[in-house]
Amino acid sequence: MRIIKIVLWTLWRVWFYIMMAIPILVMFPFLVISILKEKWYPYFFVMARIWAKCILYGSGFYYKLEDIANLDENKSYMFVANHTSMADIMLMLAIVKNPFVFVGKKELSKIPLFGFFYKRTCILVDRSSQKSRMEVFNRAQKRLNQGLSICIFPEGGVPADESVVLDSFKDGAFRLAIEHQIPIVPITFPDNKKRFSYTFFSGSPGLMRAKIHPIIETKGLDIEHKEDVKKLNEKTRIIIYNQLIEDIKKSTN
């Protein structure tokens, strides 16, 4: 029975990566055109959302969104969420309508085909380089001036210990939000770890829930005050953590 499961998991995982490539190949000419100029990014974002939904539905996932944020489509935000799965990227694109740019690790740019567009549309950061981390602020400012939002997974990566519900948050997202005076939008993904974790022989098709929490304002906060950054970090993390714990309790009852 275990062998059958391993074979099915392998086929399903391979299919997921095939699904990543198919929409890109179909839309390739239009995707390339949309990245020729930065001002055309909103058109790329529309196609990226189509790509994400194709992968989710094509891999047997369906999502349910609880949105209580009441977002303004003409306003920029800092979207932050827990990070446990590659599918987090797709689900974020599927549920958020405001065009945003990911801030992510440069290693993902090495993924064939996906990486070609990733490094040309996202703000890449080398966490081992202080200079790279500082450049993120400048590129984020440019994107915000274009009316876009920013998305960061503030754990800085997927926790190595799978028993960790939510890792500590890095300060980068909150420093950016305060510096540019944009609201924080906490988002919770309670099912992605169970559905499609980074453990190869695991997961299953099914429901992926998402909750967009009320926005957290940054007006009046000062990036020079370390306490402001710390409190914003902790407040956001507590919201996401408490929701994850609540969902865990519901699933065990």
Side-chain angles (χ1 to χ4, degrees):
M1 187 65 181
R2 176 67 179 174
I3 294 176
I4 294 174
K5 282 187 175 181
I6 289 175
V7 171
L8 291 175
W9 271 323
T10 301
L11 292 174
W12 181 55
R13 289 271 174 166
V14 170
W15 175 249
F16 177 86
Y17 293 110
I18 291 173
M19 283 303 304
M20 284 184 65
I22 291 174
I24 294 178
L25 292 172
V26 171
M27 298 187 291
F28 192 81
F30 306 102
L31 289 168
V32 171
I33 292 172
S34 70
I35 64 174
L36 293 178
K37 293 185 179 180
E38 286 192 348
K39 67 179 181 180
W40 291 346
Y41 181 82
Y43 300 110
F44 174 86
F45 183 77
V46 170
M47 287 182 281
R49 296 192 73 214
I50 295 172
W51 169 80
K53 292 179 181 181
C54 285
I55 296 169
L56 292 176
Y57 290 128
S59 300
F61 302 121
Y62 62 97
Y63 59 89
K64 180 179 180 182
L65 172 63
E66 182 182 356
D67 184 357
I68 52 178
N70 193 26
L71 302 179
D72 184 342
E73 63 181 16
N74 297 313
K75 194 171 183 179
S76 295
Y77 298 95
M78 174 64 71
F79 296 103
V80 299
N82 59 303
H83 192 25
T84 57
S85 167
M86 182 177 288
D88 296 340
I89 295 173
M90 294 78 181
L91 190 55
M92 183 70 76
L93 285 165
I95 66 169
V96 176
K97 296 179 180 178
N98 295 56
F100 65 82
V101 175
F102 281 109
V103 174
K105 53 188 179 182
K106 69 173 187 177
E107 289 79 6
L108 291 180
S109 64
K110 298 177 182 178
I111 299 176
L113 200 57
F114 168 83
F116 175 83
F117 293 101
Y118 176 80
K119 65 184 178 183
R120 288 166 175 78
T121 58
C122 299
I123 299 174
L124 306 189
V125 58
D126 179 358
R127 292 189 175 92
S128 65
S129 168
Q130 178 68 25
K131 180 181 178 182
S132 175
R133 294 199 298 271
M134 292 304 296
E135 287 176 350
V136 168
F137 281 80
N138 296 329
R139 294 193 62 190
Q141 177 66 73
K142 187 176 181 180
R143 290 302 203 173
L144 290 168
N145 288 341
Q146 295 168 346
L148 301 174
S149 295
I150 304 293
C151 177
I152 297 180
F153 296 111
E155 290 168 276
V158 176
D161 185 349
E162 290 204 3
S163 65
V164 174
V165 175
L166 186 67
D167 212 341
S168 59
F169 282 2
K170 311 296 184 187
D171 283 336
F174 309 100
R175 289 174 58 83
L176 276 170
I178 292 174
E179 172 143 331
H180 301 301
Q181 292 291 283
I182 57 174
I184 296 281
V185 181
I187 300 176
T188 306
F189 298 145
D191 303 311
N192 291 12
K193 185 175 184 177
K194 175 177 67 177
R195 292 293 171 218
F196 200 83
S197 76
Y198 278 88
T199 301
F200 192 85
F201 297 117
S202 66
S204 64
L207 174 65
M208 285 181 167
R209 291 169 293 171
K211 184 171 183 177
I212 302 180
H213 299 272
I215 64 173
I216 303 173
E217 291 291 351
T218 59
K219 291 178 181 177
L221 300 182
D222 190 338
I223 195 172
E224 297 300 325
H225 297 160
K226 292 184 179 179
E227 196 64 26
D228 283 355
V229 177
K230 182 180 178 181
K231 286 181 178 179
L232 184 62
N233 181 325
E234 291 177 347
K235 182 177 182 178
T236 306
R237 186 180 181 278
I238 287 172
I239 289 172
I240 295 175
Y241 179 80
N242 287 345
Q243 184 64 50
L244 290 172
I245 294 298
E246 182 181 328
D247 288 324
I248 289 172
K249 288 180 179 178
K250 286 180 180 178
S251 63
T252 55
N253 289 338

